[in-house]
PDB file of all heavy atoms in Angstrom:
ATOM      1  N   ALA A   1       0.883  -1.209   0.005  1.00  0.00           N
ATOM      2  CA  ALA A   1       0.000  -0.048   0.008  1.00  0.00           C
ATOM      3  C   ALA A   1       0.844   1.242   0.033  1.00  0.00           C
ATOM      4  O   ALA A   1       0.557   2.275  -0.707  1.00  0.00           O
ATOM      5  CB  ALA A   1      -0.957  -0.024   1.186  1.00  0.00           C
ATOM      6  N   ASP A   2       1.985   1.238   0.799  1.00  0.00           N
ATOM      7  CA  ASP A   2       2.784   2.392   0.867  1.00  0.00           C
ATOM      8  C   ASP A   2       3.430   2.619  -0.521  1.00  0.00           C
ATOM      9  O   ASP A   2       3.649   3.757  -0.959  1.00  0.00           O
ATOM     10  CB  ASP A   2       3.936   2.082   1.874  1.00  0.00           C
ATOM     11  CG  ASP A   2       3.419   2.132   3.314  1.00  0.00           C
ATOM     12  OD1 ASP A   2       2.293   2.686   3.524  1.00  0.00           O
ATOM     13  OD2 ASP A   2       4.057   1.566   4.222  1.00  0.00           O
ATOM     14  N   MET A   3       3.910   1.531  -1.187  1.00  0.00           N
ATOM     15  CA  MET A   3       4.512   1.689  -2.491  1.00  0.00           C
ATOM     16  C   MET A   3       3.467   2.273  -3.507  1.00  0.00           C
ATOM     17  O   MET A   3       3.780   3.119  -4.311  1.00  0.00           O
ATOM     18  CB  MET A   3       4.995   0.333  -2.960  1.00  0.00           C
ATOM     19  CG  MET A   3       6.246  -0.204  -2.179  1.00  0.00           C
ATOM     20  SD  MET A   3       6.719  -1.776  -2.903  1.00  0.00           S
ATOM     21  CE  MET A   3       7.137  -1.366  -4.492  1.00  0.00           C
ATOM     22  N   ASN A   4       2.257   1.840  -3.388  1.00  0.00           N
ATOM     23  CA  ASN A   4       1.213   2.227  -4.247  1.00  0.00           C
ATOM     24  C   ASN A   4       0.888   3.741  -4.111  1.00  0.00           C
ATOM     25  O   ASN A   4       0.735   4.526  -5.015  1.00  0.00           O
ATOM     26  CB  ASN A   4      -0.076   1.434  -4.134  1.00  0.00           C
ATOM     27  CG  ASN A   4      -0.984   1.469  -5.326  1.00  0.00           C
ATOM     28  OD1 ASN A   4      -0.596   1.269  -6.426  1.00  0.00           O
ATOM     29  ND2 ASN A   4      -2.230   1.878  -5.069  1.00  0.00           N
ATOM     30  N   ASP A   5       0.928   4.147  -2.893  1.00  0.00           N
ATOM     31  CA  ASP A   5       0.605   5.643  -2.537  1.00  0.00           C
ATOM     32  C   ASP A   5       1.767   6.524  -2.942  1.00  0.00           C
ATOM     33  O   ASP A   5       1.499   7.591  -3.277  1.00  0.00           O
ATOM     34  CB  ASP A   5       0.411   5.748  -0.982  1.00  0.00           C
ATOM     35  CG  ASP A   5      -0.852   5.067  -0.563  1.00  0.00           C
ATOM     36  OD1 ASP A   5      -1.789   4.732  -1.408  1.00  0.00           O
ATOM     37  OD2 ASP A   5      -0.955   4.870   0.653  1.00  0.00           O
ATOM     38  N   SER A   6       2.925   5.891  -3.019  1.00  0.00           N
ATOM     39  CA  SER A   6       4.146   6.735  -3.456  1.00  0.00           C
ATOM     40  C   SER A   6       4.236   6.680  -5.058  1.00  0.00           C
ATOM     41  O   SER A   6       5.222   7.410  -5.475  1.00  0.00           O
ATOM     42  CB  SER A   6       5.422   6.072  -2.878  1.00  0.00           C
ATOM     43  OG  SER A   6       5.348   6.076  -1.496  1.00  0.00           O
ATOM     44  N   GLY A   7       3.371   6.066  -5.659  1.00  0.00           N
ATOM     45  CA  GLY A   7       3.484   6.216  -7.109  1.00  0.00           C
ATOM     46  C   GLY A   7       4.494   5.277  -7.701  1.00  0.00           C
ATOM     47  O   GLY A   7       4.883   5.389  -8.895  1.00  0.00           O
ATOM     48  N   ASN A   8       4.891   4.231  -6.980  1.00  0.00           N
ATOM     49  CA  ASN A   8       5.947   3.283  -7.429  1.00  0.00           C
ATOM     50  C   ASN A   8       5.424   2.037  -8.106  1.00  0.00           C
ATOM     51  O   ASN A   8       6.085   1.133  -8.503  1.00  0.00           O
ATOM     52  CB  ASN A   8       6.810   2.914  -6.319  1.00  0.00           C
ATOM     53  CG  ASN A   8       7.689   4.095  -5.919  1.00  0.00           C
ATOM     54  OD1 ASN A   8       8.011   4.963  -6.652  1.00  0.00           O
ATOM     55  ND2 ASN A   8       8.095   4.044  -4.581  1.00  0.00           N
ATOM     56  N   GLY A   9       4.096   2.030  -8.367  1.00  0.00           N
ATOM     57  CA  GLY A   9       3.514   0.765  -8.948  1.00  0.00           C
ATOM     58  C   GLY A   9       1.998   0.686  -8.734  1.00  0.00           C
ATOM     59  O   GLY A   9       1.412   1.525  -7.904  1.00  0.00           O
ATOM     60  N   ASN A  10       1.478  -0.223  -9.365  1.00  0.00           N
ATOM     61  CA  ASN A  10      -0.067  -0.495  -9.068  1.00  0.00           C
ATOM     62  C   ASN A  10      -0.302  -1.976  -8.597  1.00  0.00           C
ATOM     63  O   ASN A  10      -1.183  -2.591  -9.053  1.00  0.00           O
ATOM     64  CB  ASN A  10      -0.877  -0.228 -10.351  1.00  0.00           C
ATOM     65  CG  ASN A  10      -0.756   1.138 -10.741  1.00  0.00           C
ATOM     66  OD1 ASN A  10      -0.952   2.095  -9.915  1.00  0.00           O
ATOM     67  ND2 ASN A  10      -0.389   1.441 -11.982  1.00  0.00           N
ATOM     68  N   LEU A  11       0.571  -2.418  -7.685  1.00  0.00           N
ATOM     69  CA  LEU A  11       0.450  -3.735  -7.226  1.00  0.00           C
ATOM     70  C   LEU A  11      -0.789  -4.114  -6.674  1.00  0.00           C
ATOM     71  O   LEU A  11      -1.384  -5.202  -6.781  1.00  0.00           O
ATOM     72  CB  LEU A  11       1.587  -4.109  -6.282  1.00  0.00           C
ATOM     73  CG  LEU A  11       3.013  -4.042  -6.818  1.00  0.00           C
ATOM     74  CD1 LEU A  11       4.012  -4.337  -5.706  1.00  0.00           C
ATOM     75  CD2 LEU A  11       3.098  -5.101  -7.910  1.00  0.00           C
ATOM     76  N   LEU A  12      -1.517  -3.079  -5.925  1.00  0.00           N
ATOM     77  CA  LEU A  12      -2.771  -3.444  -5.250  1.00  0.00           C
ATOM     78  C   LEU A  12      -3.960  -3.631  -6.280  1.00  0.00           C
ATOM     79  O   LEU A  12      -4.876  -4.097  -5.867  1.00  0.00           O
ATOM     80  CB  LEU A  12      -3.086  -2.210  -4.280  1.00  0.00           C
ATOM     81  CG  LEU A  12      -2.187  -2.238  -3.133  1.00  0.00           C
ATOM     82  CD1 LEU A  12      -2.665  -1.031  -2.186  1.00  0.00           C
ATOM     83  CD2 LEU A  12      -2.135  -3.516  -2.363  1.00  0.00           C
ATOM     84  N   GLU A  13      -3.629  -3.223  -7.485  1.00  0.00           N
ATOM     85  CA  GLU A  13      -4.765  -3.397  -8.499  1.00  0.00           C
ATOM     86  C   GLU A  13      -4.742  -4.822  -9.060  1.00  0.00           C
ATOM     87  O   GLU A  13      -5.602  -5.286  -9.774  1.00  0.00           O
ATOM     88  CB  GLU A  13      -4.517  -2.438  -9.636  1.00  0.00           C
ATOM     89  CG  GLU A  13      -4.557  -0.987  -9.208  1.00  0.00           C
ATOM     90  CD  GLU A  13      -5.923  -0.726  -8.494  1.00  0.00           C
ATOM     91  OE1 GLU A  13      -6.974  -1.180  -9.100  1.00  0.00           O
ATOM     92  OE2 GLU A  13      -5.930  -0.041  -7.545  1.00  0.00           O
ATOM     93  N   ILE A  14      -3.693  -5.670  -8.705  1.00  0.00           N
ATOM     94  CA  ILE A  14      -3.652  -6.968  -9.185  1.00  0.00           C
ATOM     95  C   ILE A  14      -4.572  -7.909  -8.344  1.00  0.00           C
ATOM     96  O   ILE A  14      -4.390  -7.996  -7.178  1.00  0.00           O
ATOM     97  CB  ILE A  14      -2.165  -7.558  -9.159  1.00  0.00           C
ATOM     98  CG1 ILE A  14      -1.291  -6.676  -9.904  1.00  0.00           C
ATOM     99  CG2 ILE A  14      -2.127  -9.062  -9.667  1.00  0.00           C
ATOM    100  CD1 ILE A  14       0.139  -7.106  -9.838  1.00  0.00           C
ATOM    101  N   PRO A  15      -5.606  -8.564  -8.914  1.00  0.00           N
ATOM    102  CA  PRO A  15      -6.549  -9.261  -8.104  1.00  0.00           C
ATOM    103  C   PRO A  15      -5.895 -10.470  -7.316  1.00  0.00           C
ATOM    104  O   PRO A  15      -6.389 -10.754  -6.326  1.00  0.00           O
ATOM    105  CB  PRO A  15      -7.479  -9.870  -9.216  1.00  0.00           C
ATOM    106  CG  PRO A  15      -7.286  -9.037 -10.384  1.00  0.00           C
ATOM    107  CD  PRO A  15      -5.895  -8.515 -10.355  1.00  0.00           C
ATOM    108  N   LEU A  16      -4.799 -10.894  -7.809  1.00  0.00           N
ATOM    109  CA  LEU A  16      -4.146 -12.011  -7.090  1.00  0.00           C
ATOM    110  C   LEU A  16      -3.877 -11.771  -5.610  1.00  0.00           C
ATOM    111  O   LEU A  16      -3.986 -12.634  -4.796  1.00  0.00           O
ATOM    112  CB  LEU A  16      -2.772 -12.305  -7.678  1.00  0.00           C
ATOM    113  CG  LEU A  16      -1.827 -13.368  -7.023  1.00  0.00           C
ATOM    114  CD1 LEU A  16      -2.507 -14.678  -6.982  1.00  0.00           C
ATOM    115  CD2 LEU A  16      -0.488 -13.438  -7.769  1.00  0.00           C
ATOM    116  N   PHE A  17      -3.703 -10.442  -5.251  1.00  0.00           N
ATOM    117  CA  PHE A  17      -3.236 -10.112  -3.893  1.00  0.00           C
ATOM    118  C   PHE A  17      -4.432 -10.129  -2.959  1.00  0.00           C
ATOM    119  O   PHE A  17      -4.347  -9.880  -1.803  1.00  0.00           O
ATOM    120  CB  PHE A  17      -2.553  -8.862  -3.771  1.00  0.00           C
ATOM    121  CG  PHE A  17      -1.128  -8.894  -4.353  1.00  0.00           C
ATOM    122  CD1 PHE A  17      -0.858  -8.611  -5.728  1.00  0.00           C
ATOM    123  CD2 PHE A  17      -0.056  -9.395  -3.589  1.00  0.00           C
ATOM    124  CE1 PHE A  17       0.479  -8.683  -6.159  1.00  0.00           C
ATOM    125  CE2 PHE A  17       1.195  -9.499  -4.053  1.00  0.00           C
ATOM    126  CZ  PHE A  17       1.461  -9.207  -5.311  1.00  0.00           C
ATOM    127  N   ARG A  18      -5.632 -10.348  -3.530  1.00  0.00           N
ATOM    128  CA  ARG A  18      -6.872 -10.407  -2.693  1.00  0.00           C
ATOM    129  C   ARG A  18      -7.270 -11.809  -2.500  1.00  0.00           C
ATOM    130  O   ARG A  18      -8.363 -12.050  -2.003  1.00  0.00           O
ATOM    131  CB  ARG A  18      -8.061  -9.538  -3.237  1.00  0.00           C
ATOM    132  CG  ARG A  18      -7.605  -8.053  -3.270  1.00  0.00           C
ATOM    133  CD  ARG A  18      -8.793  -7.283  -3.616  1.00  0.00           C
ATOM    134  NE  ARG A  18      -9.387  -7.531  -5.001  1.00  0.00           N
ATOM    135  CZ  ARG A  18      -8.991  -6.835  -6.021  1.00  0.00           C
ATOM    136  NH1 ARG A  18      -8.102  -5.824  -5.979  1.00  0.00           N
ATOM    137  NH2 ARG A  18      -9.503  -7.064  -7.224  1.00  0.00           N
ATOM    138  N   THR A  19      -6.537 -12.875  -3.070  1.00  0.00           N
ATOM    139  CA  THR A  19      -6.877 -14.157  -3.015  1.00  0.00           C
ATOM    140  C   THR A  19      -6.065 -14.931  -1.987  1.00  0.00           C
ATOM    141  O   THR A  19      -5.082 -14.420  -1.429  1.00  0.00           O
ATOM    142  CB  THR A  19      -6.809 -14.855  -4.407  1.00  0.00           C
ATOM    143  OG1 THR A  19      -5.305 -14.844  -4.625  1.00  0.00           O
ATOM    144  CG2 THR A  19      -7.483 -14.102  -5.456  1.00  0.00           C
ATOM    145  N   GLU A  20      -6.452 -16.274  -1.863  1.00  0.00           N
ATOM    146  CA  GLU A  20      -5.610 -17.136  -0.943  1.00  0.00           C
ATOM    147  C   GLU A  20      -4.192 -17.233  -1.482  1.00  0.00           C
ATOM    148  O   GLU A  20      -3.212 -17.342  -0.670  1.00  0.00           O
ATOM    149  CB  GLU A  20      -6.303 -18.551  -0.822  1.00  0.00           C
ATOM    150  CG  GLU A  20      -5.574 -19.486   0.057  1.00  0.00           C
ATOM    151  CD  GLU A  20      -6.266 -20.896   0.205  1.00  0.00           C
ATOM    152  OE1 GLU A  20      -7.383 -20.883  -0.432  1.00  0.00           O
ATOM    153  OE2 GLU A  20      -5.667 -21.755   0.754  1.00  0.00           O
ATOM    154  N   GLU A  21      -4.099 -17.360  -2.796  1.00  0.00           N
ATOM    155  CA  GLU A  21      -2.753 -17.407  -3.380  1.00  0.00           C
ATOM    156  C   GLU A  21      -1.921 -16.222  -3.076  1.00  0.00           C
ATOM    157  O   GLU A  21      -0.792 -16.238  -2.819  1.00  0.00           O
ATOM    158  CB  GLU A  21      -2.865 -17.576  -5.000  1.00  0.00           C
ATOM    159  CG  GLU A  21      -3.387 -18.923  -5.395  1.00  0.00           C
ATOM    160  CD  GLU A  21      -4.870 -19.128  -5.298  1.00  0.00           C
ATOM    161  OE1 GLU A  21      -5.546 -18.051  -4.960  1.00  0.00           O
ATOM    162  OE2 GLU A  21      -5.412 -20.151  -5.642  1.00  0.00           O
ATOM    163  N   GLY A  22      -2.688 -15.089  -3.030  1.00  0.00           N
ATOM    164  CA  GLY A  22      -1.939 -13.753  -2.740  1.00  0.00           C
ATOM    165  C   GLY A  22      -1.432 -13.804  -1.319  1.00  0.00           C
ATOM    166  O   GLY A  22      -0.325 -13.345  -0.989  1.00  0.00           O
ATOM    167  N   ARG A  23      -2.275 -14.340  -0.359  1.00  0.00           N
ATOM    168  CA  ARG A  23      -1.819 -14.411   1.010  1.00  0.00           C
ATOM    169  C   ARG A  23      -0.730 -15.253   1.114  1.00  0.00           C
ATOM    170  O   ARG A  23       0.317 -15.138   1.943  1.00  0.00           O
ATOM    171  CB  ARG A  23      -2.928 -14.812   1.893  1.00  0.00           C
ATOM    172  CG  ARG A  23      -4.086 -13.745   2.055  1.00  0.00           C
ATOM    173  CD  ARG A  23      -5.170 -14.026   3.106  1.00  0.00           C
ATOM    174  NE  ARG A  23      -5.901 -15.267   2.681  1.00  0.00           N
ATOM    175  CZ  ARG A  23      -7.018 -15.238   1.963  1.00  0.00           C
ATOM    176  NH1 ARG A  23      -7.378 -13.956   1.527  1.00  0.00           N
ATOM    177  NH2 ARG A  23      -7.659 -16.323   1.681  1.00  0.00           N
ATOM    178  N   TYR A  24      -0.688 -16.420   0.326  1.00  0.00           N
ATOM    179  CA  TYR A  24       0.573 -17.371   0.334  1.00  0.00           C
ATOM    180  C   TYR A  24       1.681 -16.621  -0.073  1.00  0.00           C
ATOM    181  O   TYR A  24       2.775 -16.767   0.563  1.00  0.00           O
ATOM    182  CB  TYR A  24       0.183 -18.536  -0.516  1.00  0.00           C
ATOM    183  CG  TYR A  24       1.381 -19.356  -0.896  1.00  0.00           C
ATOM    184  CD1 TYR A  24       1.998 -20.147   0.059  1.00  0.00           C
ATOM    185  CD2 TYR A  24       1.882 -19.297  -2.125  1.00  0.00           C
ATOM    186  CE1 TYR A  24       3.166 -20.837  -0.251  1.00  0.00           C
ATOM    187  CE2 TYR A  24       3.064 -19.902  -2.476  1.00  0.00           C
ATOM    188  CZ  TYR A  24       3.664 -20.711  -1.563  1.00  0.00           C
ATOM    189  OH  TYR A  24       4.773 -21.419  -1.846  1.00  0.00           O
ATOM    190  N   LEU A  25       1.663 -15.862  -1.203  1.00  0.00           N
ATOM    191  CA  LEU A  25       2.783 -15.122  -1.723  1.00  0.00           C
ATOM    192  C   LEU A  25       3.364 -14.209  -0.655  1.00  0.00           C
ATOM    193  O   LEU A  25       4.511 -14.002  -0.525  1.00  0.00           O
ATOM    194  CB  LEU A  25       2.446 -14.433  -3.052  1.00  0.00           C
ATOM    195  CG  LEU A  25       2.188 -15.328  -4.272  1.00  0.00           C
ATOM    196  CD1 LEU A  25       1.691 -14.471  -5.431  1.00  0.00           C
ATOM    197  CD2 LEU A  25       3.424 -15.974  -4.688  1.00  0.00           C
ATOM    198  N   ALA A  26       2.414 -13.423  -0.049  1.00  0.00           N
ATOM    199  CA  ALA A  26       2.867 -12.485   1.020  1.00  0.00           C
ATOM    200  C   ALA A  26       3.627 -13.172   2.152  1.00  0.00           C
ATOM    201  O   ALA A  26       4.556 -12.681   2.557  1.00  0.00           O
ATOM    202  CB  ALA A  26       1.643 -11.787   1.547  1.00  0.00           C
ATOM    203  N   THR A  27       3.081 -14.236   2.661  1.00  0.00           N
ATOM    204  CA  THR A  27       3.743 -14.857   3.803  1.00  0.00           C
ATOM    205  C   THR A  27       5.074 -15.597   3.307  1.00  0.00           C
ATOM    206  O   THR A  27       6.087 -15.643   4.191  1.00  0.00           O
ATOM    207  CB  THR A  27       2.825 -15.971   4.411  1.00  0.00           C
ATOM    208  OG1 THR A  27       2.422 -16.903   3.466  1.00  0.00           O
ATOM    209  CG2 THR A  27       1.670 -15.327   5.028  1.00  0.00           C
ATOM    210  N   SER A  28       5.144 -16.055   2.114  1.00  0.00           N
ATOM    211  CA  SER A  28       6.311 -16.732   1.661  1.00  0.00           C
ATOM    212  C   SER A  28       7.438 -15.866   1.110  1.00  0.00           C
ATOM    213  O   SER A  28       8.663 -16.045   1.449  1.00  0.00           O
ATOM    214  CB  SER A  28       5.980 -17.717   0.481  1.00  0.00           C
ATOM    215  OG  SER A  28       5.048 -18.639   0.934  1.00  0.00           O
ATOM    216  N   LEU A  29       7.031 -14.760   0.466  1.00  0.00           N
ATOM    217  CA  LEU A  29       8.041 -13.871  -0.193  1.00  0.00           C
ATOM    218  C   LEU A  29       7.985 -12.447   0.281  1.00  0.00           C
ATOM    219  O   LEU A  29       8.751 -11.605  -0.186  1.00  0.00           O
ATOM    220  CB  LEU A  29       7.663 -13.804  -1.646  1.00  0.00           C
ATOM    221  CG  LEU A  29       7.672 -15.198  -2.406  1.00  0.00           C
ATOM    222  CD1 LEU A  29       7.219 -14.931  -3.939  1.00  0.00           C
ATOM    223  CD2 LEU A  29       8.969 -15.827  -2.407  1.00  0.00           C
ATOM    224  N   GLY A  30       7.148 -12.130   1.308  1.00  0.00           N
ATOM    225  CA  GLY A  30       7.069 -10.836   1.801  1.00  0.00           C
ATOM    226  C   GLY A  30       8.337 -10.164   2.229  1.00  0.00           C
ATOM    227  O   GLY A  30       8.797  -9.170   1.665  1.00  0.00           O
ATOM    228  N   ASP A  31       9.009 -10.809   3.196  1.00  0.00           N
ATOM    229  CA  ASP A  31      10.369 -10.218   3.753  1.00  0.00           C
ATOM    230  C   ASP A  31      11.355 -10.018   2.685  1.00  0.00           C
ATOM    231  O   ASP A  31      11.856  -8.814   2.493  1.00  0.00           O
ATOM    232  CB  ASP A  31      10.846 -11.165   4.801  1.00  0.00           C
ATOM    233  CG  ASP A  31      10.130 -11.096   6.063  1.00  0.00           C
ATOM    234  OD1 ASP A  31       9.213 -10.084   6.124  1.00  0.00           O
ATOM    235  OD2 ASP A  31      10.204 -11.935   6.975  1.00  0.00           O
ATOM    236  N   PRO A  32      11.721 -11.071   1.832  1.00  0.00           N
ATOM    237  CA  PRO A  32      12.938 -10.778   0.807  1.00  0.00           C
ATOM    238  C   PRO A  32      12.358  -9.758  -0.243  1.00  0.00           C
ATOM    239  O   PRO A  32      13.290  -8.938  -0.604  1.00  0.00           O
ATOM    240  CB  PRO A  32      13.037 -12.161   0.207  1.00  0.00           C
ATOM    241  CG  PRO A  32      11.785 -12.987   0.505  1.00  0.00           C
ATOM    242  CD  PRO A  32      11.264 -12.419   1.836  1.00  0.00           C
ATOM    243  N   LEU A  33      11.119  -9.779  -0.717  1.00  0.00           N
ATOM    244  CA  LEU A  33      10.784  -8.854  -1.717  1.00  0.00           C
ATOM    245  C   LEU A  33      10.703  -7.442  -1.108  1.00  0.00           C
ATOM    246  O   LEU A  33      11.254  -6.425  -1.852  1.00  0.00           O
ATOM    247  CB  LEU A  33       9.372  -9.204  -2.218  1.00  0.00           C
ATOM    248  CG  LEU A  33       9.349 -10.338  -3.377  1.00  0.00           C
ATOM    249  CD1 LEU A  33       7.925 -10.625  -3.758  1.00  0.00           C
ATOM    250  CD2 LEU A  33      10.147  -9.888  -4.523  1.00  0.00           C
ATOM    251  N   ILE A  34      10.155  -7.116  -0.076  1.00  0.00           N
ATOM    252  CA  ILE A  34      10.209  -5.873   0.637  1.00  0.00           C
ATOM    253  C   ILE A  34      11.640  -5.357   0.733  1.00  0.00           C
ATOM    254  O   ILE A  34      11.905  -4.172   0.370  1.00  0.00           O
ATOM    255  CB  ILE A  34       9.487  -5.903   1.906  1.00  0.00           C
ATOM    256  CG1 ILE A  34       7.983  -6.038   1.647  1.00  0.00           C
ATOM    257  CG2 ILE A  34       9.610  -4.534   2.694  1.00  0.00           C
ATOM    258  CD1 ILE A  34       7.196  -6.249   2.984  1.00  0.00           C
ATOM    259  N   LYS A  35      12.512  -6.055   1.248  1.00  0.00           N
ATOM    260  CA  LYS A  35      13.857  -5.649   1.503  1.00  0.00           C
ATOM    261  C   LYS A  35      14.623  -5.423   0.172  1.00  0.00           C
ATOM    262  O   LYS A  35      15.367  -4.472  -0.015  1.00  0.00           O
ATOM    263  CB  LYS A  35      14.658  -6.762   2.270  1.00  0.00           C
ATOM    264  CG  LYS A  35      14.151  -6.775   3.767  1.00  0.00           C
ATOM    265  CD  LYS A  35      14.904  -7.854   4.539  1.00  0.00           C
ATOM    266  CE  LYS A  35      14.329  -7.905   5.990  1.00  0.00           C
ATOM    267  NZ  LYS A  35      14.954  -9.097   6.737  1.00  0.00           N
ATOM    268  N   GLY A  36      14.323  -6.316  -0.830  1.00  0.00           N
ATOM    269  CA  GLY A  36      14.999  -6.360  -2.107  1.00  0.00           C
ATOM    270  C   GLY A  36      14.479  -5.035  -2.830  1.00  0.00           C
ATOM    271  O   GLY A  36      15.429  -4.202  -3.416  1.00  0.00           O
ATOM    272  N   LEU A  37      13.243  -4.734  -2.896  1.00  0.00           N
ATOM    273  CA  LEU A  37      12.668  -3.570  -3.534  1.00  0.00           C
ATOM    274  C   LEU A  37      13.191  -2.255  -2.908  1.00  0.00           C
ATOM    275  O   LEU A  37      13.378  -1.222  -3.565  1.00  0.00           O
ATOM    276  CB  LEU A  37      11.151  -3.605  -3.577  1.00  0.00           C
ATOM    277  CG  LEU A  37      10.626  -4.788  -4.472  1.00  0.00           C
ATOM    278  CD1 LEU A  37       9.024  -4.835  -4.205  1.00  0.00           C
ATOM    279  CD2 LEU A  37      10.867  -4.447  -5.885  1.00  0.00           C
ATOM    280  N   THR A  38      13.302  -2.340  -1.572  1.00  0.00           N
ATOM    281  CA  THR A  38      13.842  -1.154  -0.849  1.00  0.00           C
ATOM    282  C   THR A  38      15.221  -0.858  -1.298  1.00  0.00           C
ATOM    283  O   THR A  38      15.641   0.377  -1.537  1.00  0.00           O
ATOM    284  CB  THR A  38      13.813  -1.456   0.630  1.00  0.00           C
ATOM    285  OG1 THR A  38      12.470  -1.683   1.117  1.00  0.00           O
ATOM    286  CG2 THR A  38      14.530  -0.258   1.381  1.00  0.00           C
ATOM    287  N   GLU A  39      16.091  -1.917  -1.428  1.00  0.00           N
ATOM    288  CA  GLU A  39      17.454  -1.678  -1.930  1.00  0.00           C
ATOM    289  C   GLU A  39      17.544  -1.211  -3.271  1.00  0.00           C
ATOM    290  O   GLU A  39      18.333  -0.284  -3.706  1.00  0.00           O
ATOM    291  CB  GLU A  39      18.279  -2.964  -1.801  1.00  0.00           C
ATOM    292  CG  GLU A  39      18.486  -3.425  -0.345  1.00  0.00           C
ATOM    293  CD  GLU A  39      19.339  -2.337   0.429  1.00  0.00           C
ATOM    294  OE1 GLU A  39      20.088  -1.627  -0.272  1.00  0.00           O
ATOM    295  OE2 GLU A  39      19.113  -2.249   1.609  1.00  0.00           O
ATOM    296  N   VAL A  40      16.561  -1.668  -4.205  1.00  0.00           N
ATOM    297  CA  VAL A  40      16.488  -1.100  -5.573  1.00  0.00           C
ATOM    298  C   VAL A  40      16.230   0.353  -5.464  1.00  0.00           C
ATOM    299  O   VAL A  40      16.889   1.165  -6.246  1.00  0.00           O
ATOM    300  CB  VAL A  40      15.492  -1.984  -6.289  1.00  0.00           C
ATOM    301  CG1 VAL A  40      15.221  -1.269  -7.785  1.00  0.00           C
ATOM    302  CG2 VAL A  40      15.933  -3.336  -6.558  1.00  0.00           C
ATOM    303  N   ALA A  41      15.285   0.766  -4.669  1.00  0.00           N
ATOM    304  CA  ALA A  41      14.799   2.094  -4.613  1.00  0.00           C
ATOM    305  C   ALA A  41      16.038   2.982  -4.038  1.00  0.00           C
ATOM    306  O   ALA A  41      16.254   4.183  -4.493  1.00  0.00           O
ATOM    307  CB  ALA A  41      13.681   2.254  -3.756  1.00  0.00           C
ATOM    308  N   ASN A  42      16.753   2.422  -3.155  1.00  0.00           N
ATOM    309  CA  ASN A  42      17.853   3.299  -2.527  1.00  0.00           C
ATOM    310  C   ASN A  42      19.044   3.338  -3.489  1.00  0.00           C
ATOM    311  O   ASN A  42      19.678   4.389  -3.529  1.00  0.00           O
ATOM    312  CB  ASN A  42      18.258   2.690  -1.177  1.00  0.00           C
ATOM    313  CG  ASN A  42      17.236   2.763  -0.123  1.00  0.00           C
ATOM    314  OD1 ASN A  42      16.364   3.620  -0.186  1.00  0.00           O
ATOM    315  ND2 ASN A  42      17.237   1.892   0.900  1.00  0.00           N
ATOM    316  N   GLN A  43      19.407   2.296  -4.111  1.00  0.00           N
ATOM    317  CA  GLN A  43      20.713   2.305  -4.902  1.00  0.00           C
ATOM    318  C   GLN A  43      20.441   2.686  -6.283  1.00  0.00           C
ATOM    319  O   GLN A  43      21.447   2.980  -7.068  1.00  0.00           O
ATOM    320  CB  GLN A  43      21.293   0.909  -4.793  1.00  0.00           C
ATOM    321  CG  GLN A  43      21.647   0.604  -3.396  1.00  0.00           C
ATOM    322  CD  GLN A  43      22.876  -0.436  -3.271  1.00  0.00           C
ATOM    323  OE1 GLN A  43      23.675  -0.628  -4.295  1.00  0.00           O
ATOM    324  NE2 GLN A  43      23.124  -1.070  -2.135  1.00  0.00           N
ATOM    325  N   ARG A  44      19.236   2.564  -6.857  1.00  0.00           N
ATOM    326  CA  ARG A  44      18.884   2.914  -8.244  1.00  0.00           C
ATOM    327  C   ARG A  44      19.863   2.219  -9.172  1.00  0.00           C
ATOM    328  O   ARG A  44      20.638   3.038  -9.977  1.00  0.00           O
ATOM    329  CB  ARG A  44      18.766   4.334  -8.350  1.00  0.00           C
ATOM    330  CG  ARG A  44      17.668   4.967  -7.556  1.00  0.00           C
ATOM    331  CD  ARG A  44      17.630   6.482  -7.783  1.00  0.00           C
ATOM    332  NE  ARG A  44      16.451   7.047  -7.093  1.00  0.00           N
ATOM    333  CZ  ARG A  44      15.257   7.094  -7.206  1.00  0.00           C
ATOM    334  NH1 ARG A  44      14.797   6.501  -8.478  1.00  0.00           N
ATOM    335  NH2 ARG A  44      14.361   7.609  -6.554  1.00  0.00           N
TER     336      ARG A  44
END
């Protein structure tokens, strides 16, 4: 949600993130993706 509000993407518009599969992705990949995307934004 923070990324979407900042104009960095429209991830919340993807229906997948409102499904059971989306919750699975969040719990499985949440930490590494958030940290990885943060580093991409910081180091460009």
Side-chain angles (χ1 to χ4, degrees):
D2 292 341
M3 292 177 62
N4 199 53
D5 292 341
S6 301
N8 291 332
N10 295 312
L11 293 178
L12 291 181
E13 298 302 318
I14 301 176
L16 174 64
F17 288 96
R18 295 194 295 270
T19 65
E20 181 181 351
E21 288 81 2
R23 290 190 292 274
Y24 162 74
L25 290 174
T27 55
S28 300
L29 303 176
D31 285 347
L33 277 179
I34 290 171
K35 293 177 181 178
L37 292 172
T38 300
E39 290 301 327
V40 170
N42 290 338
Q43 298 206 17
R44 298 181 180 276

